[in-house]
Amino acid sequence: MNKEKFRETENKIRELKKKRDAVILVHNYQLPEVQDVADFRGDSLELSRMAAKTDAKVIVFCGVHFMAETASILCPDKKVIMPDVNAGCPMANMITVDDLKKLKRGHPEAVVVGYVNTSAQIKAELDVCCTSTNAVAVVNAFKDRKEVIFVPDKYLADYVSKQTGRKLISWNGFCPTHIKILPEDIKREKKFHPKAKVMVHPECLPSVVALADAVLSTSQMAKFAKETDAKEMIIGTEVGLIYRLKKDNPDKEFYPASEAAVCPNMKRTTQEKILWALEELKGEVRVSDSIRQRAKQAIEKMLEIV
Ligand code: 13P
Ligand code: SF4
């Protein structure tokens, strides 16, 4: 689409949004054209919090499926729609309810912590949920428990384990996008930009995390970028975040650690699909009541801790 067409679509989205009493929540990895029509941009934790407190009747969720599900778990009276309901998270699909039940049977005394990047059915099996922002604090809240199960991301588990000094019972899940960032990428970018600070997401490989100045969630990166004195930064996460960083900090330079770190699911949503979603109110994400009640407890437990 050309600039004029984008502007036309943006205006239509704005008009229809008012008519539908809708709010557009956008994850930090979304396409620039989607970030440009956001009422609120954020990381997984911020978007859940925003969903929980909005007065709007309709939430247009531009992210991946587990995020929209989390919004629906927190606000069942609202209509949560996804402009593309096929946008999933491969990491979330790496663990099934049967897998988790089996793991729990093997460790009946363990507290069960699960990353927000999981389906509602998995969340219903957890004691507590966590996000990349608060995973360390959540695990630290269970110092009295001998065993901790942490699913599904083995690399986030490794990071949390190093930060808390606790051995975690983890699962073999990972983010196919973040593992594309290699230590060689960081070393190369550091050679090109020796003054740059390195920020990476905790879903990255441990060998990448070891080279970082800061290990942060996407919105923590946005905050760090604003507050630091550094004028240049190397960004070890999905490349979509760079658009927000540049927009918020026009006087600073941001270099992606790897151009290969693209999450195809995060790129499925477009302005045109947002417009169709607002026109038709299709693509609703709903969680059955029995699953919702249990999953909500795990999310609320997390919000209580942090
Ligand atoms: P954040 O919560 O840091 O935005 O991460 C979400 C995600 O899917 C990372 O791959
Ligand atoms: Fe899932 Fe990775 Fe995409 Fe995040 S970047 S939504 S963890 S596949």
Side-chain angles (χ1 to χ4, degrees), residues 73 97 101 104 120-127 288-299:
I73 291 166
V97 172
K101 282 189 173 162
K104 282 166 67 169
Q121 282 91 337
I122 292 285
K123 287 190 180 78
E125 294 296 322
L126 304 175
D127 291 315
S288 74
D289 261 358
S290 59
I291 296 286
R292 193 181 69 78
Q293 298 292 355
R294 288 159 56 214
K296 194 170 179 229
Q297 282 175 13
I299 299 169

Side-chain angles (χ1 to χ4, degrees), residues 27-29 42-47 64 66-67 89 91 115-117 131-133 153 175 177-178 201-203 216-221 237-238 241 263 266:
H27 187 265
N28 289 323
Y29 293 156
D43 64 12
S44 312
L45 181 64
E46 291 176 329
L47 294 175
V64 289
F66 76 82
M67 296 179 178
C89 168
M91 183 212 283
Y115 195 21
V116 69
N117 298 35
T131 70
S132 52
T133 311
D153 186 358
C175 165
T177 296
H178 282 86
H201 198 276
E203 288 173 18
L216 304 166
S217 80
T218 56
S219 285
Q220 286 175 325
M221 287 188 195
T237 193
E238 210 274 348
L241 180 69
C263 175
M266 283 284 184

